[in-house]
Amino acid sequence: MAGMKILVTGARGRVARSVVMQLLEAGQEVRAAGRDPGTVSLPAGVQVVGADLARPETLGPALTGVSKVFLYAAHDGVAGFVAEAREASVEHIVLLSAQGASAGSEDRIARMHGVAERDVAGSEIAWTFLRPGAFATNTLQWAASIRAEGVVRDPFPDAQVAAVHEADIAAVAVRALLDPGHQGAAHVLTGPQSVTQREQVELIGAAIGRRVEFAELDVEDYRRTLARWGPPEVADALVRHMVEAVESPALVTDAVQDVTGRPARSFAEWAADHAADFA
């Protein structure tokens, strides 16, 4: 694998950063791409370039000499990126998609990722799809209120998730990029167990050494707080997912262990790793 150059898109993202760091540890040559490269902080050995998936004309320099790509799904699909990648003779794309991805879904989030998968799969470039469920990093939205008040406000204390650590998503991505046998595979990634949001709050409290309260929020107030994630149908999809998560345990898979050879990290481990964000 020596001499292979790998492009990691979404360079400011926590998953992408972990992919970069793990590739460097594996001795790979890495180029990181983001819309605003000046805001990206990575080790000196990483070439950081500007690239915007929504503007295919910016992608040529990022893709020059690249053999493989770690790619984030984009809201408007990745058809333009795929066309440029094919022109650059990219051999393999590992796409960060989502559990339940389907181009025909009525759910905006599932549809967005499904369209991205369709664009990549139709490109004639070898592909691997990573389909995580809940990201453990989603709970960082609680950090400000935990730091300021020791409180989490959310309408769904009993919603269950099998949140996956970003380092585990990255570890699977790295193995898919470097090892044979992952082309044409779709890996559904989860944490090792289904836990409620109330239990997540308790585990964050244990990690920072102080009690954190869970205050139930009105659903409509919560919906308004989701406006930053996008249009109303995104908020509707997120609320629907949480309502469904109250009714049944979250899906748990062994994909992280199957691919990496080590068990998925627990939410308690994630909370300990991110204690500084909440303390």
Side-chain angles (χ1 to χ4, degrees), residues 148-159:
E149 307 170 72
V151 173
V152 166
R153 294 179 176 83
D154 189 279
F156 302 109
D158 298 317

Side-chain angles (χ1 to χ4, degrees), residues 97-109:
S97 182
Q99 188 176 313
S102 170
S105 176
E106 295 183 0
D107 181 298
R108 180 185 174 94
I109 297 171

